[in-house]
Coordinates of all heavy atoms in Angstrom, one line a residue:
M294 N 259.9 154.1 121.3 CA 258.5 153.6 120.9 C 257.8 153.2 122.3 O 258.3 152.3 123.0 CB 258.4 152.5 120.0 CG 257.2 151.9 119.6 SD 257.4 150.6 118.3 CE 256.7 151.3 117.0
T295 N 256.7 153.8 122.6 CA 256.0 153.3 123.9 C 255.0 152.3 123.5 O 254.4 152.2 122.4 CB 255.3 154.7 124.4 OG1 254.3 155.0 123.5 CG2 256.2 155.8 124.8
S296 N 254.7 151.5 124.5 CA 253.7 150.4 124.4 C 252.4 150.8 124.8 O 252.2 151.6 125.8 CB 254.1 149.2 125.1 OG 254.2 149.4 126.5
K297 N 251.4 150.5 124.1 CA 250.0 150.8 124.3 C 249.4 149.8 125.2 O 249.8 148.6 125.4 CB 249.2 150.8 123.0 CG 249.6 151.8 122.1 CD 248.9 151.7 120.7 CE 247.4 151.3 120.8 NZ 246.7 151.3 119.4
P298 N 248.5 150.2 126.1 CA 247.9 149.3 127.1 C 247.0 148.3 126.2 O 246.6 148.5 125.0 CB 246.9 150.1 127.9 CG 246.8 151.4 127.3 CD 248.0 151.5 126.3
A299 N 247.0 147.0 126.7 CA 246.4 145.9 126.0 C 244.8 146.3 125.8 O 244.2 146.9 126.6 CB 246.4 144.7 126.8
S300 N 244.3 146.0 124.5 CA 242.9 146.2 124.2 C 242.1 145.2 125.0 O 242.7 144.2 125.5 CB 242.7 146.2 122.7 OG 243.0 144.8 122.4
F301 N 240.8 145.4 125.0 CA 239.9 144.5 125.6 C 240.0 143.0 124.8 O 240.1 142.1 125.4 CB 238.5 145.0 125.5 CG 237.5 143.9 125.9 CD1 237.3 143.6 127.3 CD2 236.7 143.2 125.0 CE1 236.4 142.7 127.7 CE2 235.8 142.1 125.4 CZ 235.7 142.0 126.8
Y302 N 240.2 143.2 123.5 CA 240.3 142.0 122.7 C 241.6 141.2 123.0 O 241.6 140.0 123.2 CB 240.3 142.4 121.2 CG 240.1 141.3 120.2 CD1 238.9 140.6 120.1 CD2 241.1 140.9 119.4 CE1 238.7 139.6 119.2 CE2 240.9 139.9 118.4 CZ 239.7 139.2 118.3 OH 239.6 138.3 117.4
E303 N 242.7 142.0 123.2 CA 244.0 141.3 123.5 C 243.8 140.7 124.9 O 244.4 139.6 125.0 CB 245.0 142.4 123.6 CG 246.0 142.5 122.5 CD 247.0 143.6 122.6 OE1 248.0 143.4 123.4 OE2 246.8 144.6 122.1
T304 N 243.2 141.3 125.8 CA 243.1 140.8 127.2 C 242.3 139.5 127.1 O 242.6 138.5 127.8 CB 242.3 141.8 128.1 OG1 243.1 143.0 128.0 CG2 242.3 141.3 129.4
Q305 N 241.3 139.5 126.2 CA 240.5 138.2 126.1 C 241.3 137.1 125.5 O 241.2 136.0 126.0 CB 239.2 138.5 125.3 CG 238.2 139.4 126.0 CD 237.7 138.7 127.2 OE1 237.2 137.7 127.3 NE2 237.9 139.6 128.4
V306 N 242.0 137.4 124.5 CA 242.9 136.3 123.9 C 244.0 135.9 125.0 O 244.1 134.6 125.1 CB 243.7 136.9 122.6 CG1 244.6 135.9 122.1 CG2 242.7 137.3 121.6
T307 N 244.5 136.8 125.7 CA 245.5 136.4 126.6 C 244.9 135.4 127.7 O 245.5 134.6 128.2 CB 246.1 137.6 127.4 OG1 246.7 138.5 126.4 CG2 247.1 137.2 128.5
A308 N 243.6 135.7 128.1 CA 243.0 134.8 129.0 C 242.7 133.4 128.5 O 242.5 132.5 129.3 CB 241.6 135.5 129.4
H309 N 242.8 133.2 127.2 CA 242.7 131.9 126.5 C 244.1 131.2 126.2 O 244.1 130.1 125.7 CB 241.8 132.0 125.4 CG 240.4 132.2 125.7 ND1 239.9 133.4 126.0 CD2 239.3 131.3 125.8 CE1 238.5 133.3 126.3 NE2 238.3 132.0 126.2
L310 N 245.1 132.0 126.5 CA 246.4 131.3 126.3 C 246.7 130.4 127.5 O 246.4 130.7 128.6 CB 247.5 132.3 126.2 CG 247.5 133.2 124.9 CD1 248.5 134.2 124.9 CD2 247.4 132.4 123.6
R311 N 247.3 129.2 127.2 CA 247.5 128.3 128.3 C 249.0 127.8 128.3 O 249.6 127.6 127.3 CB 246.6 127.0 128.2 CG 245.1 127.6 128.2 CD 244.3 126.4 127.9 NE 242.8 126.7 127.7 CZ 242.1 127.6 128.1 NH1 242.6 128.5 128.9 NH2 240.8 127.7 127.8
P312 N 249.6 127.6 129.4 CA 251.0 127.1 129.4 C 250.8 125.6 129.1 O 250.2 124.9 129.9 CB 251.5 127.4 130.8 CG 250.3 127.6 131.7 CD 249.1 128.1 130.8
L313 N 251.6 125.1 128.1 CA 251.5 123.7 127.8 C 252.8 123.4 127.1 O 253.3 124.1 126.2 CB 250.4 123.4 126.9 CG 249.9 121.9 126.6 CD1 249.5 121.3 127.9 CD2 248.8 121.9 125.7
R314 N 253.5 122.3 127.6 CA 254.7 121.8 127.1 C 255.8 123.0 127.1 O 256.6 123.1 126.3 CB 254.6 121.3 125.7 CG 253.7 120.0 125.6 CD 253.6 119.4 124.2 NE 252.6 118.4 124.0 CZ 252.4 117.7 123.0 NH1 253.2 117.8 122.0 NH2 251.5 116.8 123.0
G315 N 255.8 123.8 128.2 CA 256.7 124.8 128.4 C 256.6 126.0 127.5 O 257.5 126.8 127.4
Q316 N 255.4 126.3 126.9 CA 255.2 127.4 126.0 C 253.7 127.8 126.1 O 252.9 127.1 126.6 CB 255.6 127.1 124.6 CG 254.9 125.9 124.0 CD 255.6 125.4 122.7 OE1 256.1 126.2 122.0 NE2 255.6 124.1 122.5
A317 N 253.4 129.0 125.6 CA 252.1 129.5 125.6 C 251.3 128.9 124.4 O 252.0 129.0 123.3 CB 252.1 131.0 125.6
V318 N 250.3 128.4 124.4 CA 249.4 127.9 123.3 C 248.1 128.4 123.5 O 247.5 128.7 124.5 CB 249.5 126.3 123.3 CG1 250.9 125.7 123.1 CG2 248.8 125.7 124.4
I319 N 247.4 128.3 122.2 CA 246.0 128.7 122.2 C 245.3 127.5 121.4 O 245.8 126.9 120.5 CB 245.6 130.0 121.5 CG1 244.2 130.4 121.6 CG2 246.1 130.0 120.0 CD1 243.8 131.8 121.3
L320 N 244.1 127.1 122.0 CA 243.5 125.9 121.4 C 242.8 126.3 120.1 O 242.3 127.5 120.0 CB 242.6 125.3 122.5 CG 243.3 124.8 123.7 CD1 242.3 124.2 124.7 CD2 244.3 123.8 123.4
D321 N 242.6 125.3 119.2 CA 242.0 125.6 118.0 C 240.7 126.2 118.0 O 240.5 127.2 117.3 CB 241.8 124.2 117.3 CG 241.2 123.0 118.2 OD1 240.7 123.4 119.2 OD2 241.4 121.8 117.7
S322 N 239.8 125.8 118.8 CA 238.4 126.4 118.9 C 238.5 127.8 119.4 O 237.7 128.7 118.9 CB 237.4 125.6 119.7 OG 237.9 125.5 121.0
D323 N 239.3 128.1 120.3 CA 239.4 129.5 120.8 C 240.2 130.4 119.7 O 239.7 131.5 119.4 CB 240.4 129.6 122.0 CG 239.8 128.8 123.2 OD1 238.5 128.8 123.4 OD2 240.6 128.3 124.1
L324 N 241.1 129.8 119.1 CA 241.8 130.6 117.9 C 240.8 130.9 116.8 O 240.6 132.0 116.3 CB 243.0 129.9 117.4 CG 243.8 130.6 116.5 CD1 244.3 131.9 116.8 CD2 245.0 129.6 116.1
A325 N 239.9 130.0 116.5 CA 238.9 130.1 115.5 C 238.0 131.2 115.8 O 237.6 132.1 115.0 CB 238.2 128.7 115.2
W326 N 237.5 131.1 117.1 CA 236.5 132.0 117.5 C 237.1 133.5 117.5 O 236.4 134.5 116.9 CB 236.1 131.8 119.0 CG 234.9 132.7 119.3 CD1 233.7 132.5 119.1 CD2 235.0 133.9 120.2 NE1 232.8 133.5 119.6 CE2 233.7 134.4 120.2 CE3 236.2 134.6 120.7 CZ2 233.4 135.5 120.9 CZ3 235.8 135.8 121.3 CH2 234.5 136.2 121.5
F327 N 238.4 133.7 117.9 CA 238.9 135.0 117.9 C 239.2 135.5 116.5 O 239.1 136.8 116.2 CB 240.2 135.0 118.7 CG 240.0 135.0 120.1 CD1 240.5 133.9 120.9 CD2 239.3 136.0 120.8 CE1 240.2 133.9 122.2 CE2 239.1 136.0 122.1 CZ 239.6 134.9 122.9
L328 N 239.5 134.7 115.5 CA 239.8 135.0 114.2 C 238.5 135.2 113.3 O 238.5 135.5 112.2 CB 240.8 134.1 113.6 CG 242.1 134.1 114.3 CD1 243.0 133.1 113.7 CD2 242.8 135.5 114.2
G329 N 237.4 134.7 113.9 CA 236.1 134.7 113.1 C 236.1 133.7 112.0 O 235.4 134.0 111.0
I330 N 236.6 132.6 112.2 CA 236.5 131.5 111.3 C 235.9 130.2 112.0 O 236.0 130.1 113.1 CB 237.8 131.1 110.5 CG1 239.0 130.9 111.5 CG2 238.2 132.5 109.7 CD1 240.3 130.4 110.8

């Protein structure tokens, strides 16, 4: 199975992930915006 290049949307989400407490996290408001809620 080959991997597809990241979509623009995926790239935008990745830009909002932050290393915190040794793991990747996304903040509540960013997650809400990306999920449309």
Side-chain angles (χ1 to χ4, degrees):
M294 179 181 248
T295 61
S296 63
K297 294 169 42 176
S300 69
F301 174 76
Y302 192 68
E303 254 176 83
T304 303
Q305 292 300 305
V306 174
T307 301
H309 286 82
L310 296 177
R311 302 171 188 335
L313 190 62
R314 298 187 189 181
Q316 56 195 326
V318 299
I319 189 165
L320 300 181
D321 46 15
S322 58
D323 294 332
L324 185 56
W326 188 83
F327 286 117
L328 296 174
I330 61 176

